Amino acid sequence: MKDPITVSVTGAAGQIGYALLFRIASGSMFGPDQPVNLRLIEIEPGMKALQGVVMELDDCAFPTLNEVVATSDLAEGFKGANWALLVGSVPRGPGMERKDLLGINGKIFTGQGQAIAANAAGDVRTLVVGNPCNTNCLIAMNAAKGIPNDQFFAMTRLDENRAKSQLADKAGVHHSEVSNLCIWGNHSATQYPDYTNAKINGAAVSDVISDREWLQGEFISTVQQRGAAIIQARGASSAASAANGVVDTVRSLTNATPVGDWTSVAVCSNGEYGIDAGLMASMPIRTDGKTWEVVDGVEVGDFSRQKIDASVQELREEKEAVADLLG
């Protein structure tokens, strides 16, 4: 067996955390021959529930689960972490403005970024899931002095999966036949699922799905509003699908991207595609399993440009709202 990978998870007793931990422990994320150490982080009021989760993990007797540590101490929680999965965040409450939410979570992610820099392994990669994830990731990245920006990511893979599912349903094919689907911008209602470069069985989506009005209207709005629709339907936010998006993201970043394809994740922009340098924005990414790059030369037409610019503007506004936390 290989040496264990240490994975730290915040919000570990929450809905997404609960759906995620058993996927990691069972080998779904890193493979059946890769042992993992789990370092589970919760706020003090969540520790009793977390102990119950640890009991369940013990009861599963996963061959790949080497060690479990449950703690409310960030230094202990991020000790030696190779992956930091920042799932926990304060949800938006009734009457709460987005700026208020950014301010509350900003302080949380500042502390987590500092703790990661002080305690995690040098190769630690951080994936932020807790919303608003793009800007929470930006805050954590700026607080994690000494850790390269290219080791920070915010999740938009759930949105990519949702978009592929919608296109597959419309075309009457399996979702695995949809490729080259990118989510641009923010993980929010302004995100842009780019159908213009996507393919179905290697053919352009617009050649397979002739309903342009649907592609430019209902398809985009369905993906943008899917999270709200799920809350309305089940009375709770996405949990299992979000956890699956985390697993897919880590697997995509640790395994080579299929030739000619790409995946979506928010990374710190260096000015690609007219996106301001320093914003945490979702773009098409390709990796060899060790290093990643933004895919060059993806066509951005006038329709796409308008949609991307709107999402980037929202990211600018979010960054401005937390400017005092960015140092």
Side-chain angles (χ1 to χ4, degrees):
M1 294 285 278
K2 304 174 182 176
D3 291 335
I5 288 175
T6 297
V7 184
S8 297
V9 183
T10 69
Q15 285 200 78
I16 296 173
Y18 185 77
L20 174 62
L21 297 180
F22 300 89
R23 299 283 303 277
I24 302 172
S26 68
S28 293
M29 181 175 281
F30 296 105
D33 62 344
Q34 176 59 66
V36 294
N37 298 326
L38 285 176
R39 304 189 79 84
L40 310 182
I41 304 168
E42 258 299 349
I43 58 176
E44 193 59 43
M47 288 303 296
K48 182 177 180 181
L50 183 57
Q51 289 299 332
V53 176
V54 173
M55 291 164 68
E56 287 200 77
L57 285 166
D58 287 343
D59 292 349
C60 288
F62 291 120
T64 47
L65 183 56
N66 185 64
E67 178 186 66
V68 181
V69 173
T71 183
S72 60
D73 179 72
L74 293 180
E76 178 68 14
F78 290 117
K79 184 178 179 181
N82 305 110
W83 276 93
L85 307 178
L86 308 188
V87 176
S89 66
V90 175
R92 188 169 177 172
M96 186 184 291
E97 298 293 334
R98 193 173 180 87
K99 183 176 181 180
D100 299 330
L101 184 64
L102 285 165
I104 293 168
N105 279 313
K107 295 177 177 63
I108 295 171
F109 283 85
T110 295
Q112 291 179 359
Q114 292 169 343
I116 289 168
N119 298 282
D123 67 350
V124 63
R125 283 181 275 184
T126 298
L127 174 64
V128 177
V129 181
N131 286 318
C133 65
N134 293 57
T135 300
N136 286 341
C137 186
L138 182 68
I139 293 166
M141 181 184 74
N142 277 271
K145 305 302 183 185
I147 298 181
N149 290 354
D150 64 3
Q151 291 174 209
F152 283 83
F153 310 89
M155 189 176 79
T156 54
R157 182 57 175 270
L158 172 57
D159 309 301
E160 178 187 324
N161 289 344
R162 287 167 168 168
K164 286 181 174 178
S165 178
Q166 293 298 315
L167 291 175
D169 285 349
K170 184 72 170 180
V173 301
H174 192 265
H175 56 80
S176 62
E177 297 176 26
V178 182
S179 66
N180 300 89
L181 191 291
C182 175
I183 301 294
W184 295 91
N186 200 5
H187 173 66
S188 74
T190 69
Q191 65 178 263
Y192 172 50
D194 182 7
Y195 75 89
T196 67
N197 289 288
K199 298 177 181 178
I200 297 175
N201 275 328
V205 162
S206 55
D207 290 340
V208 178
I209 300 173
S210 59
D211 190 345
R212 184 63 59 89
E213 182 178 349
W214 180 84
L215 287 169
Q216 295 190 347
E218 184 180 341
F219 162 65
I220 294 173
S221 62
T222 296
V223 177
Q224 290 173 335
Q225 301 294 334
R226 187 68 164 185
I230 289 171
I231 290 173
Q232 185 175 18
R234 70 183 292 261
S237 58
S238 307
S241 57
N244 184 69
V246 176
V247 174
D248 284 349
T249 301
V250 174
R251 288 175 63 181
S252 289
L253 289 170
T254 53
N255 292 276
T257 308
V259 176
D261 203 358
W262 53 68
T263 189
S264 308
V265 68
V267 297
C268 186
S269 171
N270 289 312
E272 299 92 343
Y273 294 100
I275 298 171
D276 306 12
L279 290 180
M280 189 65 59
S282 185
M283 291 183 274
I285 301 299
R286 184 175 292 140
T287 177
D288 61 5
K290 295 181 180 179
T291 60
W292 61 266
E293 62 181 4
V294 176
V295 179
D296 188 33
V298 175
E299 184 176 345
V300 176
D302 291 342
F303 179 81
S304 295
R305 183 79 269 165
Q306 180 184 17
K307 296 294 186 181
I308 294 169
D309 287 350
S311 199
V312 169
Q313 178 58 30
E314 183 180 51
L315 287 170
R316 291 189 190 110
E317 293 168 1
E318 289 187 9
K319 183 180 180 182
E320 179 61 29
V322 298
D324 59 322
L325 298 174
L326 300 180

